[in-house]
Amino acid sequence: NAGVTQTPKFQVLKTGQSMTLQCAQDMNHEYMSWYRQDPGMGLRLIHYSVGAGITDQGEVPNGYNVSRSTTEDFPLRLLSAAPSQTSVYFCASSPRQGGVGGELFFGEGSRLTVL
Amino acid sequence: EDQVTQSPEALRLQEGESSSLNCSYTVSGLRGLFWYRQDPGKGPEFLFTLYSAGEEKEKERLKATLTKKESFLHITAPKPEDSATYLCAVQALGTKIIFGSGTRLSIRP
């Protein structure tokens, strides 16, 4: 089983460039989310979605856009990359809306460096 | 504002030396508290969900407990393979799941 698949695993960008981090899950989960993980700060929620066509902001949404056109895919877009966006990004999904009563399934992460 | 604080930041134990990790939280209506394990270079892996004060869950050498203000992850007779970062997360009213910064656990043989 593939579970949650993130691509790319590693990426280096220059300041001002744009890019999209891809996330796909094959478990038919309604809930999907994006987190960033920085040393000493744990996982911080960027954006989340409770179903196709529905997205909402998390703790640190500035500089990022998301869309949810299908149940399977939840891409994260960086519009104009900044060095402060250097981080490890995790996509996670859950079988129940909001994850209540069910756990989050995480991808392997995408390590992004912005020069 | 919803907040999750984990302590200690790091913990080094000898194999077989039992201890506890703490997760204190401030939320407006707890819907669930979660514990995850994260190995270096990997995504977090789910361990437990706790819903109400007094609840306990066990898995191998790990036991999670919950009070109205905090949760503990008790590790009994740990082995080197238990070395990892342990993350606590809470879900309050709404659908956001907020994580603490984690405890790095190292078990020496």
Side-chain angles (χ1 to χ4, degrees):
Chain A
N1 291 335
V4 178
T5 303
Q6 292 184 232
T7 56
K9 286 185 168 42
F10 300 94
Q11 183 72 48
V12 179
L13 290 178
K14 294 181 179 179
T15 297
Q17 287 184 316
S18 63
M19 77 157 298
T20 299
L21 298 178
Q22 301 291 345
C23 176
Q25 52 92 6
D26 61 358
M27 299 173 284
N28 201 32
H29 287 174
E30 291 294 324
Y31 182 90
M32 296 186 74
S33 55
W34 277 102
Y35 288 86
R36 60 177 289 174
Q37 188 172 37
D38 304 293
M41 301 193 73
L43 287 158
R44 290 184 291 168
L45 182 64
I46 304 172
H47 287 285
Y48 65 100
S49 168
V50 298
I54 306 169
T55 63
D56 207 345
Q57 296 181 349
E59 302 168 89
V60 288
N62 293 342
Y64 307 95
N65 275 358
V66 292
S67 60
R68 185 93 181 271
S69 57
T70 67
T71 298
E72 295 78 21
D73 300 300
F74 190 45
L76 178 71
R77 297 182 187 86
L78 282 71
L79 305 176
S80 178
S84 61
Q85 293 178 305
T86 294
S87 186
V88 180
Y89 292 85
F90 287 99
C91 179
S93 71
S94 175
R96 302 200 190 181
Q97 188 179 76
V100 176
E103 65 269 30
L104 286 172
F105 291 79
F106 282 84
E108 292 286 287
S110 297
R111 184 177 296 274
L112 175 66
T113 301
V114 182
L115 303 176
Chain B
E1 183 180 339
D2 299 333
Q3 203 163 17
V4 179
T5 304
Q6 291 188 247
S7 61
E9 287 187 16
L11 181 63
R12 297 187 69 185
L13 300 173
Q14 199 69 34
E15 184 173 1
E17 180 185 2
S18 301
S19 188
S20 297
L21 313 182
N22 177 263
C23 171
S24 61
Y25 61 90
T26 305
V27 296
S28 51
L30 181 70
R31 298 180 70 189
L33 184 141
F34 311 91
W35 281 98
Y36 288 83
R37 168 189 171 129
Q38 186 174 25
D39 294 303
K42 302 289 187 182
E45 179 184 350
F46 171 78
L47 292 172
F48 305 109
T49 304
L50 301 167
Y51 294 105
S52 57
E55 189 175 359
E56 298 182 353
K57 293 275 180 74
E58 284 190 69
K59 181 179 180 179
E60 295 181 358
R61 295 177 291 281
L62 301 176
K63 183 169 81 172
T65 61
L66 181 65
T67 71
K68 288 186 177 180
K69 293 184 177 182
E70 59 191 349
S71 176
F72 291 93
L73 184 66
H74 306 280
I75 302 176
T76 302
K79 298 181 178 181
E81 54 262 41
D82 294 322
S83 297
T85 296
Y86 290 85
L87 301 167
C88 171
V90 299
Q91 182 169 14
L93 298 175
T95 52
K96 296 178 186 179
I97 298 175
I98 306 299
F99 281 79
S101 56
T103 295
R104 293 189 313 276
L105 178 65
S106 174
I107 309 298
R108 300 189 300 272

